[in-house]
Amino acid sequence: MGKLEKKRTFETIASNVAEYLHKPDWWYNPFELVRLVWNVGYILVQWCIIALFKPHYRKTSEPFGRVAIIGAGLTGVSSAAHCIAHGFDVVIYEAGPKLGGIWAHVNRTSGLQLNSLLYRFHPGVLWSRGFPLRDEILEEITGVWKEYDLESRTRFGTKVTKVDKAEAPKGGWETDPDRSRWVVNGGEDGVFDAVIVTVGTCGKPNWIKLPGMPGNVGQDSSDSQPTRDQDAEQPTYSEVLKREDNTSNSSDEEGHSDDSHQPSDGDIFTKRVLHSSELDSDKFDLPPGSRRIVVIGSGASAVEAVETALDRYASAKDDKSDAETKVEIWMIARHDKWIIPRNIVVDTFLSAQPFGRQMPLSFLWEAFMKRWQYRGIEGLVPKDIGIYEGTPVVNDAFLHHVRSGKVHYVRGSPTRLSKNGVVVSPRKGAKKREDGKLDEDDATIVTVGEGEEREIEADVVVLATGFEKPSVDFLPKELFPEGYQRPDLYLQNFSTEDWSILMTNSAYQNAIGTVGHFHIGIYTRILLTLLLDPSARPSPKDMKLWVDVLRFIKRGATGGAFGFFTYMELTIWLLGFHILRPDRLRWLFFIMNGWGVRPRR
C-alpha cells in the first residue's frame, strides 16, 4: 500500500474519532464507543482490501492495446482505471460536461442502497461509512479518475454517435489479424482494439404524460407556472406501463389509465409537477401555502423522493418539529415492491441464492420479511410478485414512515391529473369491498377497490418514474442479432457476435446484488485477457451456445433467463468462464483478483 492510501486511511479514522469525541455523551455512553470501534474496524477491513487488490498506476510508452470507454460514470471510470493499470491505453467519451453518470444527477440525499462493502466499484475506494451519500460517491469516482491519470484521456461533451469496424490497411493488420478493430465517431482518436460501453441503465429522467397534465412538463425545469399550450414529446402513461412491466404483456393488464380522456381546460392541474430527481434542486421550493406532496411511483425513485421531501420539510405528523413548513406526503403505488432492510448480513444471504429465480423455498425469505421488515403493516407485502422476481428496494426508513403516518400509501393506478390533484383508479385485480365502505381519507394505507375512483388532492406532484434506458444505437446492429440482444448476451455483457464489444452494466434489468462491485474489474480483465491471448477467445457459436444453455436451465423464469439474476449466479458465470475452458485457468488469478499483468516498462 502506498503513502496516499495510508494517509487516507489515517484521515478517515481520525475523522471518526473526532466525531466521537465531539459528542457530549461520549465518555459515559458505551454504545457510542462500540460504534466507534465498529467504524474503525470497517475502515481497516477496507485497508486490507486495498492492500491486496488495488492495481497501481504505472506509466508506459508501449501499451498492449487501446480501449474506447463510452460513458464517464462509475463503471466507465473504474473500467478505464483497470485498463490503464494493466498496461492498456484508453479514451473515455462522455456526452455530458462532468463525471459521475447517474450519480451526478440525483438528489444529494441519494445514497447506496446496499452496504458499501458490497459497492466497491474499484479496489482503491475507501468509504467513510456503510451507506455513503451522493457527494462522497462522486468524490471517490473523481479520486480514481485523477489517480489513474484519466483527465487527459477523457473527452467531455462528446456524444458517441457511431462505432464502426476499422478497415484493415493494405496488406492487413501486422499483428493479430483475425480480430476486429474499431473507430469511434469516424476515427478522430484513431483505432481501438476493443470498446467498453458503460452507459448504464439510467439515462435522462423518464417523464410520463398523464391526461390533465400541463403540456410543457418535462421541457423546462424553471419556476414558471406550467401551461397547456404545447404537446410535449413524452411517453403516455400506458406506454410507460408497457416498458416497465417485465412480467406482463400490456399496460391494460396492470393499470386502468385512460390516455384517451381529454379533460376540459378548467380541469388541468396548474400547480407544480416535477421529476423526483428535481426535488433537491436549488430551483425548487414549495410554493407558499403548499402542504401536500403526492409522489407517483413505488420503486426506489419514489422511496428516495419521500426521504428527500422529509429531509427538506418536516412532516405534519412530527409534533416535535418547529419547522415553518410541514407537509403531508402521499404515495400512489401501482405495484407493491419488496422492500428489504439495509442489513449487510440479510442482503448478502439474499444475493447468495445461486439459481437467480424464484424457487419453491423462496417463501421462507418472504415469510421472514413479512414478520420482521413488514411488522404492523403486513398488508403492504407484495402478493403478486416473488422476492426473486424483481429488483427489491433496499431501505430501512420508508416502512417506518408508513407505520407512523408520515406517508400515506395509496394502492391504485393513477389515471389522470385534475384541477385539484391526482385521480386514482383500481389496480388490475382489485376486489370490490364487501361492506361497501371506503378507506378513510386520512388512513395510512388507502386501497382503491373495484368500481371506485378517488381524487388525491395535491399541491405538488412528483413523478418518481425513474430514468430512461440509454440507447446503444451507435453500435452496429449486426452485433445483436435477433434473440441475442440486451440482456441476452454472452456472460450478459459481451456481444455474441464479437467479444471485443463489452457492455458492463449496460444490459442489466433486475437483480439482487449490486451494479457497482468487483464484477466491473473482472469483466474488464476478461476483455483484456481475450486481447492478450488468442487461444482464450470464444467463437460466436460458443457464445450463443452459452446463452442458449442458460435459457434452457432457467426456462420458465419470470422475465426470461437474463431478466433477473443474483450476485451469486453472476459469480458462478464468471467462474464458469474458466472451469468450462481449462486452458483459461492460467488467467484465473489475473481475471478474478487482478494479479499478474503489469504495464511494459
Side-chain angles (χ1 to χ4, degrees):
M1 177 178 285
K3 293 181 179 179
L4 178 62
E5 289 81 10
K6 291 179 180 178
K7 180 182 178 183
R8 292 182 63 214
T9 302
F10 174 78
E11 289 176 346
T12 308
I13 291 175
S15 175
N16 275 270
V17 173
E19 182 181 350
Y20 168 71
L21 293 177
H22 275 87
K23 294 180 178 179
D25 59 346
W26 69 269
W27 58 279
Y28 65 84
N29 188 339
F31 294 104
E32 292 298 333
L33 179 60
V34 170
R35 180 177 296 178
L36 173 64
V37 172
W38 174 268
N39 288 343
V40 172
Y42 187 81
I43 294 165
L44 292 177
V45 168
Q46 295 183 81
W47 184 88
C48 294
I49 294 172
I50 293 171
L52 285 171
F53 301 109
K54 179 184 176 182
H56 295 284
Y57 170 53
R58 298 182 180 92
K59 290 186 178 181
T60 179
S61 58
E62 297 182 22
F64 294 119
R66 302 182 73 234
V67 180
I69 313 284
I70 302 176
L74 173 150
T75 305
V77 170
S78 177
S79 300
H82 283 291
C83 289
I84 289 289
H86 296 298
F88 286 77
D89 199 6
V90 301
V91 175
I92 303 175
Y93 296 93
E94 170 55 46
K98 54 187 176 181
L99 287 176
I102 188 62
W103 286 110
H105 300 284
V106 296
N107 299 310
R108 62 181 172 80
T109 54
S110 299
L112 297 185
Q113 292 196 40
L114 294 173
N115 188 283
S116 58
L117 280 181
L118 304 176
Y119 206 88
R120 298 194 57 78
F121 66 91
H122 186 272
V125 301
L126 182 65
W127 303 114
S128 66
R129 50 179 166 165
F131 297 93
L133 301 181
R134 178 199 68 185
D135 291 347
E136 183 176 351
I137 296 167
L138 289 174
E139 286 177 9
E140 291 295 331
I141 295 172
T142 304
V144 172
W145 182 67
K146 290 182 176 180
E147 182 177 352
Y148 288 86
D149 196 23
L150 297 174
E151 296 173 80
S152 62
R153 296 175 167 93
T154 304
R155 311 285 189 263
F156 287 113
T158 305
K159 182 179 180 180
V160 173
T161 57
K162 199 168 187 182
V163 174
D164 293 305
K165 280 191 177 182
E167 293 185 8
K170 290 183 179 180
W173 302 106
E174 293 182 4
T175 60
D176 205 357
D178 296 330
R179 62 175 174 83
S180 302
R181 271 79 166 178
W182 305 92
V183 292
V184 177
N185 289 350
E188 294 180 2
D189 290 303
V191 176
F192 295 97
D193 297 284
V195 177
I196 304 179
V197 180
T198 62
V199 296
T201 57
C202 296
K204 297 182 295 183
N206 184 27
W207 293 90
I208 62 170
K209 184 168 66 176
L210 285 167
M213 182 181 290
N216 64 349
V217 167
Q219 296 179 5
D220 185 7
S221 58
S222 66
D223 291 330
S224 60
Q225 286 291 329
T227 62
R228 197 187 173 222
D229 57 356
Q230 301 178 58
D231 185 17
E233 291 296 326
Q234 299 156 2
T236 65
Y237 191 56
S238 290
E239 291 169 342
V240 171
L241 303 190
K242 290 179 182 179
R243 288 205 302 258
E244 74 176 27
D245 284 335
N246 294 321
T247 58
S248 56
N249 296 323
S250 71
S251 59
D252 294 334
E253 292 182 347
E254 290 294 342
H256 297 269
S257 60
D258 182 9
D259 294 327
S260 64
H261 178 91
Q262 296 296 332
S264 62
D265 289 342
D267 200 27
I268 299 298
F269 186 77
T270 57
K271 298 178 184 179
R272 188 67 189 268
V273 179
L274 68 155
H275 190 267
S276 57
S277 60
E278 297 179 301
L279 264 177
D280 198 37
S281 170
D282 293 335
K283 295 182 179 180
F284 171 73
D285 201 355
L286 281 178
S290 301
R291 62 178 276 116
R292 182 175 284 198
I293 298 175
V294 174
V295 178
I296 295 179
S298 59
S301 295
V303 170
E304 182 183 288
V306 168
E307 291 191 305
T308 302
L310 290 175
D311 183 66
R312 289 193 66 171
Y313 313 103
S315 169
K317 292 284 186 178
D318 192 352
D319 297 330
K320 296 181 180 180
S321 173
D322 57 358
E324 295 182 6
T325 304
K326 293 188 175 183
V327 297
E328 292 181 20
I329 298 181
W330 291 69
M331 174 187 282
I332 301 175
R334 190 173 59 89
H335 293 302
D336 297 322
K337 308 286 187 181
W338 279 102
I339 301 177
I340 63 177
R342 284 180 167 177
N343 183 296
I344 189 171
V345 176
V346 172
D347 297 343
T348 299
F349 273 103
L350 274 170
S351 64
Q353 195 249 50
F355 306 104
R357 62 182 297 174
Q358 192 78 358
M359 297 297 289
L361 294 181
S362 297
F363 78 91
L364 295 175
W365 271 117
E366 296 170 1
F368 172 74
M369 290 296 167
K370 181 176 180 179
R371 289 183 174 274
W372 180 31
Q373 183 79 339
Y374 286 84
R375 62 188 182 279
I377 48 173
E378 289 82 0
L380 291 190
V381 175
K383 297 179 176 61
D384 56 356
I385 184 172
I387 198 167
Y388 287 104
E389 293 183 313
T391 304
V393 178
V394 187
N395 191 276
D396 281 335
F398 176 74
L399 293 178
H400 173 71
H401 293 327
V402 176
R403 288 189 197 95
S404 63
K406 292 182 178 180
V407 179
H408 299 272
Y409 190 95
V410 182
R411 306 178 77 181
S413 182
T415 304
R416 56 188 169 86
L417 269 58
S418 67
K419 179 180 179 181
N420 299 317
V422 183
V423 177
V424 185
S425 297
R427 298 172 173 177
K428 184 208 173 203
K431 296 181 179 179
K432 193 170 184 178
R433 300 177 190 275
E434 295 181 359
D435 55 9
K437 295 181 179 179
L438 301 179
D439 291 333
E440 298 293 333
D441 289 339
D442 61 348
T444 298
I445 301 175
V446 176
T447 300
V448 181
E450 181 185 354
E452 300 173 16
E453 186 178 81
R454 300 192 70 146
E455 182 181 62
I456 308 299
E457 294 185 6
D459 295 308
V460 176
V461 173
V462 178
L463 301 177
T465 46
F467 298 84
E468 295 179 5
K469 188 173 183 177
S471 170
V472 293
D473 289 344
F474 50 80
L475 292 173
K477 292 183 179 180
E478 57 266 23
L479 290 173
F480 308 103
E482 186 176 355
Y484 301 94
Q485 301 159 330
R486 291 189 295 174
D488 298 333
L489 306 177
Y490 178 58
L491 298 178
Q492 207 199 33
N493 284 280
F494 288 93
S495 164
T496 58
E497 299 303 301
D498 198 312
W499 53 262
S500 62
I501 298 292
L502 172 61
M503 304 182 64
T504 310
N505 289 339
S506 299
Y508 162 89
Q509 285 190 347
N510 288 286
I512 293 183
T514 169
V515 297
H517 204 22
F518 59 74
H519 69 276
I520 297 174
I522 292 176
Y523 274 117
T524 303
R525 291 189 294 270
I526 288 177
L527 176 65
L528 302 186
T529 298
L530 299 180
L531 287 171
L532 292 170
D533 184 1
S535 67
R537 297 169 186 169
S539 67
K541 179 181 178 181
D542 291 339
M543 291 189 284
K544 289 179 179 177
L545 178 62
W546 185 90
V547 173
D548 294 338
V549 168
L550 201 67
R551 282 175 177 155
F552 176 78
I553 293 173
K554 294 184 68 174
R555 61 191 183 279
T558 301
F562 298 91
F564 178 89
F565 65 93
T566 63
Y567 213 72
M568 177 59 75
E569 182 185 11
L570 175 63
T571 304
I572 292 172
W573 296 348
L574 297 174
L575 288 173
F577 175 80
H578 303 86
I579 296 171
L580 298 177
R581 285 277 302 270
D583 56 321
R584 295 171 177 164
L585 286 174
R586 66 193 184 95
W587 295 99
L588 177 64
F589 288 105
F590 169 63
I591 290 176
M592 300 305 292
N593 301 320
W595 302 336
V597 176
R598 294 291 179 263
R600 296 188 182 107
R601 291 290 186 182

